[in-house]
Amino acid sequence: MWLTAATVAPIAGWGLNAVLRPLHLDRTRTFRMLGPLFSLSVCLIAFIRYAPVADDLSSLWISEPARTLIPAWSVVYEPRADGVSLALALMLTGLALAVASFPHEHVRQAWGGLSAALTCALAALFAADAAVFLAALDTACACVLWVSLRASTQTRTAVLRSAVYHTLLSAPVWLSLLGLHWAGGGAGFRLPELLSASVAASPTARERLAVAFLLGLAMRIPLVPFHRWTVVLAGRGSPIISALLFPLTSYIAAYGLMRFGVTIFPDADATLGVVVGGLAAAGLIHLGMLTYTDPDAAYLFSHACTALCSLTVIGLVSLTRAGVGGAVLLMVSQGLVMGALFLILAALGTRGRWSLATIFSGMPRLTALAAVGILALAGFPGTVGFVAQIMTLAGAFREYPAITIAGALGLAPITVGLIALQRRDTVIEPRIDPPSRIHKLNRAETVPIVALLGIVIALGVFPRLLLDRITPTVDRYCEELSHRREIARALRDPIRAVEDPFAAPVESGEKEKKP
Amino acid sequence: MDGLLAILFAAPLAGGILTTLAGHRSRRQEALLQAAATLASGLCVAIMGFIVYRRFFLPLGAIQLRLVWGDWFVAEPLVADVSLRMDTVAGVICLVLSSISTVWQAYAAWKGWDQRLRGMISVGFSAVLLFVLADNLIPVFASLVAVGPLLAMANAWRLKPELGGERYLQVLLFHGAGDASMLVGILILFRALGTLSFRGMGVEIATQSVAAPDPTLQIGVVLLLLGVGIRSGLNVPDAVAPLFAMVYLGWRLDPVVRVVPGGVLVAVVIFTGGLAMANLAGFVHASDETARIRRMMSEHAWPFFREFLDALIIVGVFEGAGRLAVGSGRRLVMWSRRPWGAAALVLAAVAAAGLIAWRAA
């Protein structure tokens, strides 16, 4: 029951605090931290003890008994965890713990919605049922949009637009899933049942379902042209919510693309490689240019992170060990780095409208942390972002060289734009009434940021701490996919399977010609 | 003795990080950090002098020291191992780099420059050492990516009046283009050869057909050279260390470069083109001290001697050493202007070359 406990711990902590508040027994910050701390502990113990003993993709180290949620539709809640989901859960809970401990007004206001989103995100990561995954993902997105709407009036239009995007993009995914469920005779929404339904379907139907499912899920990562919602929400909204925006929404969608999308439709090479990969490369170049030209720090960070989400997609669609492993590492890296940078912006936002020059001279500790964070986001050697980018590009290059080259060119303006931030006349917009003079960072603000950046640097120097645990899952994933791809191709085109070039068609032709 | 390589790389890195983070809090702490940074640089020089003295009898290119640290990260078939390798040529380059770094650190301490600037330069020097000593293209690329922003930020910090914001951004943008070109070249090489270690690449290339070389591999090599040429030519001023390191990288990549017909010529053209572009675009913008010394040399020194010294940027080193040794660099430079002073320098250079040749023999 540990996975279930880790999943509900964040919302349980917030609920306990809400119950105790009328009794004046609440310790708001303490109970905020308890939930993510418990989840982090469970995930960390599971991750350290995880052993690569899986026989196939569905047989994982941690699993719990299945509970039927909707018998009529065979919807089952069955928590399962592998190396990749545990790595993402660790990143998510660690980041949530850092945000929960940060002394900022918006944390107290938004923590109810954020804890609900965190619970849904963990449920999505540990779900073995595609319907449960999609429902949890949609709920997490809805929670994040709701807290964004409540936190700032400036984001009202952006939130409404994002809600429309999510609805439009979620519909084809659900329709595709329900179509498979119906084609499979209502067997269920777990991977074996969906894969059987996918293989049994006609090639045309499977291709249409694949397009709807994969594109709908990929666009939520997000990809161009539906990328604007994350940029505006992260750039204009509260930095506290922006710190958790990408891990709670985009990275969960990327995990779903890998775990369910590609697994259910293993022969959708054309859709994945050309369409999704091409859109990701175009987005990387487009957003890279915007990163270089944007003068606002929050928008610059959000542009950079959205661009790197596209790089994650390029790695995932390559379906190579290095590409997929690098994409997972990139998600972990960007989640931690973006969290640290937006916490820095949150600290600056409480101190008024100051120019960067004043900030650099008056707050040396923050300057040093910001420099480390910016270099980490740019993929500076010594940080885990560099390792992740190299692995992703090297893995993707073997399958899609043109897309990878375009992606590599798009990284250059991102790096330049981030490093040149100190030379711009950038001003940090305040979120709260500014004080008369600038105050340095206090310990409560420094510790979470230092912890996040310390993990980034530690993983950059010793990436095998993470890679050794996720590599078995990635290896199994790639092996299973190649095996299922061969089966699906053989079933799709049995004539071609018979006309094997290594067979003996010449002999059969000669026999036919003989009288 | 192979462990000395670890000290050589780690000492300036640790010192630079400590100095950058500690910043300037109190005068006593600042003085301690200054002394520690200078001593660390001196330690590197001492280590290099010891290595060169003990192992210089080896033939040119033979390995003097080797340190294998293991795999940085592995994603089959991509393997990034971090092993340091010093041959006779790398030993000389490391000795020169360590000497320049020591003189620079001492000069910076004399001038009272910001601790964080010195720390950043120290970390950059450590990156250049990794660039020279690494035995795999991934650490080489990592160190090159690290050196660019470090030196650019440090020089922009120091040269604010001369190096405007726009030029700084232009330099960074060209660095990004050079990095992208190098990265694509490395990816192509990895796809064609299946390995990124220098030894492995040499073995794979030796097995390939000389009459019909792989065109994809040739494209990758050209892109790699283009990236290296852009990075080595378009650099901020006084960046001597990357220049030396690039020359050494060209020598290490010789088996790879020969895949391209006339590859050495291509490399020289790209490198020279990069330098020409840098001068035309006005990127090579010297500091106050170096510009003043160059003006003095153009007025007083012999033309051929001026070009020689200018190419090696030794004058900047002599400036700092002279200020430390005799209290006035102007005196030393004026001394070098006299015929007997210049002759003494030439004789010293000839004696050093003879000593090296005698040791090598």
Side-chain angles (χ1 to χ4, degrees):
Chain A
M1 300 300 293
W2 289 106
L3 285 182
T4 307
T7 303
V8 301
I11 195 68
W14 176 80
L16 182 63
N17 185 52
V19 166
L20 293 176
R21 193 177 299 146
L23 303 176
H24 300 287
L25 295 175
D26 61 316
R27 294 290 183 267
T28 309
R29 194 164 157 214
T30 306
F31 283 109
R32 269 207 310 263
M33 292 171 62
L34 271 181
L37 184 62
F38 179 79
S39 304
L40 177 66
S41 306
V42 170
C43 294
L44 188 62
I45 293 171
F47 191 70
I48 291 172
R49 293 187 60 191
Y50 173 73
V53 295
D55 294 328
D56 61 283
L57 193 61
S58 60
S59 172
L60 304 162
W61 186 72
I62 300 179
S63 63
E64 293 178 0
R67 298 178 204 87
T68 306
L69 294 179
I70 305 174
W73 288 83
S74 306
V75 177
V76 172
Y77 177 62
E78 186 180 5
R80 283 187 176 185
D82 53 34
V84 172
S85 62
L86 283 174
L88 292 175
L90 272 177
M91 179 269 294
L92 201 52
T93 50
L95 184 57
L97 181 63
V99 171
S101 65
F102 201 76
H104 195 276
E105 183 64 22
H106 286 179
V107 177
R108 190 185 64 80
Q109 293 172 357
W111 191 248
L114 288 177
S115 58
L118 178 61
T119 298
C120 293
L122 289 173
L125 282 176
F126 298 145
D129 191 298
V132 172
F133 169 80
L134 279 178
L137 173 62
D138 289 341
T139 311
C141 293
C143 291
V144 170
L145 292 177
W146 176 67
V147 295
S148 298
L149 189 65
R150 288 193 60 192
S152 172
T153 55
Q154 296 179 359
T155 59
R156 189 166 297 167
T157 309
V159 169
L160 291 175
R161 191 181 302 159
S162 304
V164 171
Y165 281 162
H166 277 284
T167 308
L168 286 176
L169 296 171
S170 181
V173 183
W174 276 107
L175 288 173
S176 171
L177 196 63
L178 291 173
L180 273 177
H181 178 72
W182 175 77
F189 291 96
R190 286 185 289 188
L191 271 177
E193 290 100 10
L194 291 174
L195 183 60
S196 302
S198 167
V199 169
S202 66
T204 309
R206 184 165 62 243
E207 196 169 335
R208 288 176 182 171
L209 290 173
V211 168
F213 193 96
L214 295 173
L215 283 183
L217 206 53
M219 290 299 174
R220 302 176 71 171
I221 290 177
L223 295 179
V224 296
F226 295 103
H227 62 284
R228 192 79 184 141
W229 69 274
T230 52
V231 172
V232 175
L233 267 186
R236 203 179 292 174
S238 167
I240 294 297
I241 300 169
S242 304
L244 287 168
L245 174 66
F246 286 93
L248 287 175
T249 56
S250 303
Y251 299 152
I252 306 299
Y255 176 72
L257 181 70
M258 167 189 165
R259 178 109 171 91
F260 295 102
V262 179
T263 312
I264 297 171
F265 306 101
D267 59 337
D269 288 2
T271 308
L272 267 183
V274 177
V275 180
V276 177
L279 287 173
L284 196 55
I285 294 173
H286 169 65
L287 290 163
M289 295 299 177
L290 291 178
T291 305
Y292 179 68
T293 56
D294 210 307
D296 185 78
Y299 270 98
L300 193 145
F301 294 153
S302 61
H303 274 128
C305 196
T306 309
L308 290 168
C309 287
S310 300
L311 184 61
T312 303
V313 172
I314 292 175
L316 287 176
V317 302
S318 68
L319 302 179
T320 58
R321 289 185 176 85
V324 175
V328 174
L329 206 60
L330 197 59
M331 284 192 277
V332 171
S333 158
Q334 296 310 313
L336 296 174
V337 171
M338 287 300 291
L341 286 174
F342 275 108
L343 287 182
I344 289 173
L345 289 182
L348 285 173
T350 62
R351 286 161 168 81
R353 185 185 174 91
W354 304 99
S355 67
L356 278 184
T358 309
I359 293 169
F360 290 160
S361 60
M363 302 176 73
R365 195 183 306 169
L366 181 135
T367 304
L369 292 174
V372 172
I374 289 170
L375 290 176
L377 187 61
F380 195 73
T383 63
V384 66
F386 176 79
V387 177
Q389 287 181 17
I390 290 291
M391 282 180 62
T392 306
L393 291 171
F397 192 78
R398 297 176 72 86
E399 294 294 322
Y400 304 109
I403 291 174
T404 309
I405 289 173
L409 292 175
L411 287 176
I414 294 174
T415 307
V416 174
L418 286 170
I419 293 173
L421 181 65
Q422 63 166 337
R423 299 292 300 184
R424 295 174 187 272
D425 295 327
T426 306
V427 174
I428 310 298
E429 290 295 335
R431 297 287 186 261
I432 302 178
D433 290 336
S436 56
R437 65 183 181 90
I438 196 164
H439 295 279
K440 295 186 180 181
L441 284 181
N442 56 39
R443 187 177 297 179
E445 290 171 328
T446 307
V447 168
I449 299 171
V450 169
L452 292 175
L453 293 177
I455 295 171
V456 168
I457 293 173
L459 289 179
V461 178
F462 303 105
R464 295 189 65 175
L465 290 174
L466 196 64
L467 283 176
D468 285 351
R469 300 292 177 186
I470 68 174
T471 300
T473 306
V474 172
D475 286 350
R476 294 288 180 192
Y477 170 74
C478 293
E479 285 173 12
E480 282 286 330
L481 272 183
S482 63
H483 176 63
R484 290 175 184 178
R485 196 185 302 172
E486 291 303 319
I487 294 175
R489 283 178 182 163
L491 287 175
R492 178 179 61 187
D493 201 348
I495 297 176
R496 187 175 298 176
V498 170
E499 290 177 352
D500 192 313
F502 292 101
V506 176
E507 290 180 6
S508 60
E510 287 178 352
K511 285 180 183 175
E512 287 176 3
K513 288 179 181 176
K514 287 181 181 177
Chain B
M1 194 163 165
D2 293 336
L4 290 175
L5 281 181
I7 300 174
L8 183 70
F9 168 69
L13 178 65
I17 292 173
L18 183 66
T19 308
T20 307
L21 291 179
H24 43 275
R25 293 173 183 261
S26 66
R27 283 199 173 275
R28 185 161 178 266
Q29 189 171 354
E30 193 173 335
L32 282 173
L33 284 174
Q34 281 181 355
T38 311
L39 281 174
S41 297
L43 177 65
C44 292
V45 176
I47 290 173
M48 280 316 308
F50 177 70
I51 294 171
V52 169
Y53 178 76
R54 286 295 301 268
R55 296 285 175 98
F56 210 66
F57 55 89
L58 296 173
L60 191 68
I63 297 175
Q64 291 177 316
L65 297 174
R66 190 180 198 96
L67 183 67
V68 180
W69 272 342
D71 296 333
W72 186 9
F73 58 91
V74 177
E76 292 293 341
L78 176 67
V79 177
D81 63 328
V82 181
S83 56
L84 302 180
R85 172 189 178 277
M86 180 182 287
D87 52 34
T88 47
V89 177
V92 173
I93 291 180
C94 287
L95 180 61
V96 172
L97 292 176
S98 304
S99 305
I100 293 175
S101 174
T102 302
V103 170
W104 195 95
Q105 289 286 347
Y107 186 64
W110 183 301
K111 292 283 255 184
W113 285 345
D114 198 314
Q115 291 291 348
R116 287 165 291 187
L117 169 64
R118 297 180 61 204
M120 220 176 293
I121 293 293
S122 187
V123 174
F125 166 63
S126 178
V128 174
L129 281 179
L130 180 63
F131 184 75
V132 174
L133 298 174
D135 211 12
N136 187 298
L137 268 183
I138 291 182
V140 167
F141 177 69
S143 59
L144 194 62
V145 169
V147 161
L150 284 172
L151 287 183
M153 282 193 291
N155 276 278
W157 198 340
R158 182 165 68 97
L159 304 172
K160 275 180 188 174
E162 288 85 356
L163 200 62
E166 266 319 299
R167 188 166 299 160
Y168 173 78
L169 286 177
Q170 288 170 358
V171 170
L172 280 183
L173 198 57
F174 275 100
H175 278 187
D179 289 342
S181 178
M182 267 197 78
L183 181 60
V184 174
I186 288 173
L187 293 177
I188 294 174
L189 283 177
F190 175 63
R191 194 183 185 201
L193 301 175
T195 177
L196 289 175
S197 69
F198 286 108
R199 196 186 329 171
M201 284 194 293
V203 168
E204 287 295 325
I205 288 172
T207 60
Q208 292 200 354
S209 167
V210 177
D214 185 6
T216 310
L217 183 61
Q218 291 177 328
I219 293 172
V221 171
V222 170
L223 286 174
L224 182 65
L225 291 175
L226 186 64
V228 171
I230 290 174
R231 289 304 305 275
S232 60
L234 292 169
N235 246 319
V236 289
D238 308 339
V240 180
L243 198 65
F244 281 114
M246 294 293 179
V247 171
Y248 177 68
L249 180 64
W251 184 74
R252 285 295 299 277
L253 284 175
D254 182 59
V256 179
V257 170
R258 291 186 187 279
V259 170
V260 178
V264 176
L265 184 62
V266 170
V268 170
V269 168
I270 291 174
F271 177 75
T272 310
L275 277 177
M277 279 175 59
N279 277 286
L280 284 173
F283 292 158
V284 186
H285 209 67
S287 62
D288 281 340
E289 294 86 0
T290 314
R292 182 168 53 82
I293 292 165
R294 284 178 178 157
R295 275 197 304 272
M296 288 170 59
M297 286 169 60
S298 65
E299 292 170 6
H300 303 286
W302 293 342
F304 72 90
F305 199 59
R306 174 192 64 206
E307 294 300 324
F308 174 70
L309 288 182
D310 197 17
L312 293 181
I313 318 181
I314 286 182
V315 179
V317 175
F318 267 84
E319 165 81 3
R323 284 182 180 272
L324 289 172
V326 302
S328 173
R330 185 189 297 267
R331 208 175 297 170
L332 183 65
V333 171
M334 290 178 66
W335 171 79
S336 69
R337 281 167 20 201
R338 296 193 174 90
W340 57 267
L345 280 175
V346 171
L347 281 174
V350 168
L355 183 65
I356 292 170
W358 173 70
R359 286 294 290 172

